[in-house]
Amino acid sequence: ACSGNRVDRTGPKEGAGTVLSAVGGALIGSQIVGSDGRIATSLAESALAGLIGDKIVSTLEAEDIRRAYAAQVDALNRGASGAPVGWRNPATGRRGTIVPGPVYDSQGARCRAFTHTVYTDNRPQIARGTACRGDDGAWNLLN
């Protein structure tokens, strides 16, 4: 599986997200859905933190995280190369876009570079990385 160390690890929510994303990333897959049909917040938070970094995720509310993670997975799974996939939470005003790169094969894994821009108080926070999809369906950050 691909993994990596993203962004500096400071702020109130980083500890749990970092540990869960490192340990639980392979368990998350591309579709973790709670009994209400929505992506489970703690799992989505750890998965998103593993891809875009704890510092950015720590600025988001639970619904922001669910929307951002769903858009991230959608962009990596089905997004056209170079075409932005957006998300927005009207309740908080937070929003973001994910721009996936072309799909390529790396040692048998499907991989894509991406840029995820999150706007909090109209200020952009940008995460760039490359994620590879494991046999279990989880997208994991490549070093």
Side-chain angles (χ1 to χ4, degrees):
C2 304
S3 64
N5 183 3
R6 298 284 300 160
V7 191
D8 64 50
R9 307 279 191 214
T10 59
K13 296 183 186 175
E14 283 95 31
T18 301
V19 171
L20 288 173
S21 57
V23 174
L27 301 175
I28 293 166
S30 63
Q31 299 280 329
I32 297 295
V33 180
S35 60
D36 63 355
R38 294 164 57 173
I39 297 169
T41 303
S42 63
L43 295 176
E45 180 177 347
S46 62
L48 188 62
L51 290 170
I52 69 171
D54 293 327
K55 187 174 182 179
I56 294 174
V57 171
S58 72
T59 67
L60 303 176
E61 300 294 328
E63 185 61 22
D64 301 329
I65 291 166
R66 281 191 288 271
R67 290 171 187 253
Y69 180 65
Q72 178 82 40
V73 169
D74 187 48
L76 292 172
N77 282 335
R78 293 183 291 276
S81 180
V85 174
W87 64 271
R88 173 181 287 281
N89 183 350
T92 63
R94 293 184 184 101
R95 60 190 168 85
T97 57
I98 302 94
V99 179
V103 176
Y104 67 93
D105 181 75
S106 176
Q107 300 177 352
R110 178 180 177 209
C111 300
R112 298 185 91 164
F114 67 88
T115 301
H116 192 148
T117 305
V118 174
Y119 293 89
T120 303
D121 299 324
N122 288 320
R123 290 184 305 227
Q125 298 180 81
I126 300 170
R128 290 180 179 87
T130 299
C132 295
R133 188 170 183 179
D135 292 338
D136 60 1
W139 285 96
N140 300 289
L141 192 66
L142 182 66
N143 285 333

